[in-house]
Amino acid sequence: MASSVGKELHVRETAQEVGDPTTSNPRVKPSPKSGNQKIPVPFSYIPSDDGTDENLLILIHGLGDTHVPFAKMGKQLKLPQTAVLALRAPEQIPFLYEEAYQWYTSFDPLGELITSSNPTPAIQLLDKVVTHLTTECKWPLNRIHWFGFAQGGSVVAEFGLWWWKEKQLLPARKALPSTAAGNTTTAEAPTTSFGSITTISGPLLSFPSSSTHSPTPVLAISRPRPSELAFSANDISAFKRGFRVVKEVKYENPSGGMPVGKAEWEPVMRFWSERLEKRVGDEAGLYEVLSGSL
């Protein structure tokens, strides 16, 4: 048996291989870029305060707003190891001479609010955004977290379901081999999707029918009645038909919109604290220990 006496230990930085998490998921992510096939709307991007971009919080404003106040809010949150991306909706609301935008057509030619809205334009836009973020900007899908208010909340919930079905579940099923009888074997659904979705008074616009629920956890917050920002029992039922984990929170104050003050932000911060990831130990790279004779 060889003795360890007379051996010298050396520490050397290892070469990072393709697929290594320190290269496929770098500590500092490339900043997103504008462009039709990148992010085709105005946005604000704020890297993490502590220099580690482990999570990305995407903020989606409500009807008649812009991304500017949401970017300011995201910067003030100072979530650890979390970058912030605030997006502006693509369409300016007609007949208004102010900075007021909508994620999809919300009013008819007479200026009346459309009750049966079609979020497809917003879904197509966010598809481009997420594709850019997960490829060129190196963000893992399960590190992307969504926060939307009112119409923005409906958009992120609908998009989360759409992505799960179209980009994850259906491709997994199509990849399965067919049997001689022409039937396919049972597909195992992907176990992860987006990191989380928080919707403030933004219900789903559809009623999910799939038997396989999205694994993205959802926090659904609303005001109590008689507020127009209250969720109905059907709204909560729809969330539970589409998502595996749904936490419902109802504020006590029927007035107001976005969360205000420590008490109303507390359930949001608690939800994030249970789901935001933390990177440890790779700031100086990976190392291997080598032995050599004296």
Side-chain angles (χ1 to χ4, degrees), residues 50-185:
D50 51 31
T52 299
D53 302 326
E54 188 64 12
N55 308 282
L56 177 63
L57 178 63
I58 304 181
L59 305 176
I60 305 295
H61 65 78
L63 178 64
D65 206 346
T66 76
H67 63 301
V68 175
F70 279 69
K72 181 179 179 181
M73 177 194 76
K75 189 173 184 179
Q76 292 173 339
L77 287 172
K78 295 186 181 298
L79 296 172
Q81 299 192 4
T82 302
V84 172
L85 175 64
L87 302 174
R88 199 206 71 188
E91 302 177 24
Q92 188 164 11
I93 297 177
F95 313 117
L96 292 182
Y97 300 99
E98 59 186 78
E99 292 290 298
Y101 292 85
Q102 58 187 356
W103 290 98
Y104 45 79
T105 302
S106 305
F107 299 94
D108 65 21
L110 298 178
E112 297 293 327
L113 191 65
I114 298 173
T115 55
S116 299
S117 301
N118 179 9
T120 300
I123 289 173
Q124 292 172 340
L125 185 153
L126 294 183
D127 180 20
K128 293 180 180 180
V129 171
V130 170
T131 299
H132 173 57
L133 292 173
T134 54
T135 54
E136 297 180 54
C137 300
K138 310 297 184 183
W139 284 102
L141 191 68
N142 64 352
R143 298 295 196 272
I144 297 177
H145 301 260
W146 298 89
F147 178 98
F149 172 65
Q151 186 180 90
S154 294
V155 165
V156 299
E158 288 289 344
F159 178 69
L161 278 182
W162 178 87
W163 183 280
W164 161 248
K165 179 181 177 181
E166 299 295 329
K167 296 298 184 103
Q168 295 186 269
L169 193 58
L170 290 182
R173 289 175 175 171
K174 289 179 180 178
L176 291 173
S178 298
T179 63
N183 299 319
T184 56
T185 55

Side-chain angles (χ1 to χ4, degrees), residues 37 83-84 91 114 116 135 196 217 223 227 250 254 265 287 292:
Q37 297 303 318
V84 172
E91 302 177 24
I114 298 173
S116 299
T135 54
S196 71
R223 299 280 173 186
S227 171
K250 187 177 293 185
W265 272 106
Y287 295 86

Side-chain angles (χ1 to χ4, degrees), residues 27-45:
R27 182 173 62 86
V28 178
K29 304 294 191 294
S31 296
K33 294 179 171 56
S34 299
N36 186 51
Q37 297 303 318
K38 299 179 187 293
I39 299 185
V41 292
F43 66 90
S44 295
Y45 177 72

Side-chain angles (χ1 to χ4, degrees), residues 241-261:
R241 292 271 304 203
F243 297 94
R244 196 177 302 163
V245 177
V246 177
K247 180 176 177 57
E248 180 188 6
V249 172
K250 187 177 293 185
Y251 288 147
E252 294 181 0
N253 187 357
S255 62
M258 281 280 290
V260 176

